[in-house]
Amino acid sequence: MAIAEAALAAGHSVEFSGDVASPVGQELISALCSRVHPGPKSAEELAALAVSVGADLVHIDTYVEQGTIFECLNRSSVRLSSMEDGTYGRRRADIIIDPSPGAEVLHRPDDGSYRLFRGTKSIPIRRSIRQLRSVGKHSPAIKRVMIIMGGTDARDMTATLVRLWAKAAVPSHCVAVDPNGRSTLGIELLEGQTLELVRPSLDVPELFPTMDVVISGAGTTTWELATLGVPTGLVQLVGNQNDNYQFAIQRGIAVGLGDISTGELDEAAAIQKIQQLLLSDSLRRKLSTQSTELLDGAGADRIVAEWEQLMDEPSEVSIRPATVEDAGILFDWRNEASVRAVSRQRGELHWGDHVAWVTRAVANPEVCLLIAQFEGARIGTVRFHVVEPNVWEASITLAPEMRGRGMASAVLAAAEVHFVVDHPEAILQAAMLESNVQSFKLFQGAGYAGELERIDGELWYRLTKTAASITPN
């Protein structure tokens, strides 16, 4: 819903397809679009639907296997955007959206997906939630607590958490969002405690800013509460919430009350933490500050901007700066035995060291790390890095499937044009082993010239070229 809102705000049209049973979900969709297509029974049926409504892009969000959906859509010139949650819902797509915190520094095996957009910057928050950031804070005479477990709450954790809140014995008013629509839970309250049961609805989030504490499952609501700076206690309800749960606790934006996905909740520990949340003003202030510093709520807008860039890709080789998201494919390319054999460092890379290097490189003004793209795929990388004042060494690696297809010269030429825009006075240098004939011919053909040198007992070509000899587009 958050992404659909952002797409509409950016001037795009949106249609939905799927089977929506939740009344709240139906209400959200009807507010954005009057037409919902039945869920397709096959990849071919979804592709046909996309073509019939004139879609440029399909965004899919499901853990259910979708077969040949990427191939079917691409045959119809329709781009695929796929939401995944770590390994849940993983499939090949033109763009992968994974809002799992920390996902951007995890290795995702290359499956032919074109672009990755992952981590907290991609967490989509509905506009109606973001607008609540301007709601003024309150100072009630009695603490206010909300318990919201979301969905169908099959394990009835709503009642469990209400009972634990009551046992915490802190005078407060509790609003419990009960999907079962009960009028009472039969829980004994202590003096100074009051309980109000409400049904799930679109109006519930409007209560978030009025709460001193919200106790929630570790799903999407986690990020809505963090965006609003609401002090939160989290319960991990299912296995796929683990990344959210651990990240929120480790980054200090929520207090972890326990994990019930694989066992029983430690009720004594949970009660103690609920007491701390209600009694400690400083803890709540700290959680609120750290939450709003981490999340700005603009993930949906960024996702739509990524879609727009995807749709505007030129048909020829294009160049863009690398990001941490590219660490995985760079790791796979660089770790190939044939690539290591002609490199200065010939040992196997280790993921932790590699992702740390990429993180530093993309922020280092003395490194220009670029990604080459062509026909919906990342096909290679070119790196320029300073070796002495105003001298930049160039190196190139192509994706294995691109080698031997005559693409290297086009990739290098496009990368040089991109580079010289910001470095018109640079001297470019390339170094390769004498035995690396293909690399020598590539750089010689691109106008580099030089002689053989002996370095550590091996013969290397060291070739140079001036940036001034490169003609920008």
Side-chain angles (χ1 to χ4, degrees):
M1 296 305 100
I3 300 170
E5 287 176 338
L8 289 167
H12 304 287
S13 60
V14 173
E15 295 194 23
F16 289 90
S17 174
D19 302 310
V20 183
S22 161
V24 174
Q26 291 172 354
E27 189 176 352
L28 279 168
I29 290 177
S30 64
L32 297 175
C33 181
S34 60
R35 189 177 184 190
V36 180
H37 303 277
K41 296 180 176 61
S42 66
E44 291 78 9
E45 188 175 318
L46 176 56
L49 172 61
V51 171
S52 71
V53 301
D56 297 304
L57 177 142
V58 168
H59 177 69
I60 190 167
D61 188 350
T62 178
Y63 293 164
V64 178
E65 172 61 41
Q66 295 298 301
T68 58
I69 183 62
F70 175 80
E71 292 77 11
C72 288
L73 287 172
N74 272 247
R75 280 197 295 270
S76 301
S77 299
V78 179
R79 298 285 200 172
L80 176 63
S81 168
S82 179
M83 185 73 79
E84 65 184 33
D85 186 2
T87 58
Y88 293 89
R90 182 168 287 180
R91 60 183 60 84
R92 184 185 180 189
D94 293 292
I95 183 166
I96 300 297
I97 313 295
D98 184 354
S100 305
E104 68 274 20
V105 295
L106 297 179
H107 181 252
R108 184 186 188 278
D110 181 29
D111 60 0
S113 294
Y114 182 28
R115 185 176 295 188
L116 306 180
F117 188 58
R118 305 182 296 167
T120 54
K121 64 182 178 295
S122 67
I123 293 175
I125 302 295
R126 287 179 290 140
R127 287 174 178 263
S128 57
I129 299 292
R130 292 163 60 183
Q131 290 167 357
L132 295 174
R133 295 185 81 160
S134 61
V135 174
K137 297 300 178 183
H138 65 296
S139 300
I142 187 168
K143 295 290 188 296
R144 288 171 58 82
V145 181
M146 175 178 281
I147 294 173
I148 178 169
M149 293 292 109
T152 58
D153 193 14
R155 300 191 188 188
D156 200 14
M157 286 303 296
T158 301
T160 298
L161 268 300
V162 169
R163 179 170 53 80
L164 298 184
W165 157 77
K167 286 188 174 184
V170 178
S172 49
H173 176 68
C174 178
V175 177
V177 181
D178 182 22
N180 297 309
R182 291 168 287 192
S183 59
T184 180
L185 297 179
I187 294 172
E188 182 180 353
L189 304 181
L190 302 179
E191 185 177 351
Q193 293 181 327
T194 54
L195 175 63
E196 176 186 356
L197 296 176
V198 300
R199 289 178 178 270
S201 74
L202 292 179
D203 298 329
V204 165
E206 295 181 9
L207 298 175
F208 290 166
T210 72
M211 296 294 158
D212 293 283
V213 172
V214 172
I215 297 172
S216 170
T220 303
T221 306
T222 304
W223 312 121
E224 296 180 342
L225 294 167
T227 298
L228 297 176
V230 179
T232 301
L234 286 184
V235 178
Q236 181 179 327
L237 301 175
V238 290
N240 69 309
Q241 291 182 351
N242 183 64
D243 288 345
N244 290 0
Y245 183 76
Q246 296 297 336
F247 181 88
I249 295 169
Q250 292 166 8
R251 295 297 292 268
I253 66 174
V255 171
L257 301 183
D259 175 6
I260 70 158
S261 63
T262 57
E264 296 296 322
L265 189 67
D266 184 339
E267 294 193 355
I271 290 169
Q272 184 179 29
K273 290 177 180 178
I274 292 171
Q275 289 173 332
Q276 291 173 342
L277 278 166
L278 287 169
L279 295 175
S280 176
D281 294 342
S282 61
L283 173 59
R284 293 196 304 275
R285 283 195 299 269
K286 183 177 180 181
L287 292 171
S288 179
T289 299
Q290 291 175 164
S291 296
T292 53
E293 287 178 351
L294 181 66
L295 289 177
D296 62 5
D301 294 331
R302 295 190 185 100
I303 289 171
V304 173
E306 290 286 323
W307 289 352
E308 291 171 340
Q309 290 181 20
L310 182 69
M311 303 308 296
D312 290 339
E313 288 286 355
S315 57
E316 67 273 10
V317 171
S318 63
I319 300 293
R320 63 169 173 83
T323 71
V324 175
E325 299 288 0
D326 298 304
I329 202 164
L330 293 174
F331 179 80
D332 294 339
W333 292 344
R334 178 62 178 78
N335 236 2
E336 276 212 327
S338 61
V339 175
R340 288 188 284 109
V342 294
S343 303
R344 289 193 180 94
Q345 303 297 327
R346 294 168 194 171
E348 285 194 36
L349 300 183
H350 298 285
W351 173 251
D353 296 336
H354 171 75
V355 75
W357 177 84
V358 173
T359 301
R360 293 192 303 270
V362 297
N364 187 349
E366 294 191 344
V367 177
C368 180
L369 185 61
L370 304 173
I371 296 293
Q373 303 178 148
F374 180 66
E375 292 185 344
R378 292 173 289 179
I379 64 168
T381 178
V382 179
R383 182 186 69 180
F384 301 92
H385 70 277
V386 174
V387 291
E388 57 184 89
N390 204 41
V391 178
W392 297 68
E393 183 170 292
S395 60
I396 180 173
T397 302
L398 286 188
E401 63 272 17
M402 287 293 116
R403 295 168 198 165
R405 294 174 54 180
M407 295 296 293
S409 58
V411 168
L412 178 59
E416 288 179 337
V417 168
H418 181 99
F419 173 79
V420 300
V421 171
D422 293 324
H423 308 282
E425 305 299 325
I427 296 172
L428 302 182
Q429 186 179 96
M432 68 287 298
L433 282 166
E434 180 189 28
S435 58
N436 192 352
V437 177
Q438 287 182 318
S439 182
F440 174 76
K441 289 182 177 180
L442 169 66
F443 282 97
Q444 186 184 55
Y448 291 72
E451 303 293 337
L452 279 171
E453 296 181 8
R454 185 171 294 278
I455 303 173
D456 296 330
E458 295 180 316
L459 287 175
W460 288 74
Y461 282 106
R462 190 174 300 280
L463 312 178
T464 60
K465 173 183 180 178
T466 63
S469 65
I470 299 168
T471 303
N473 288 340

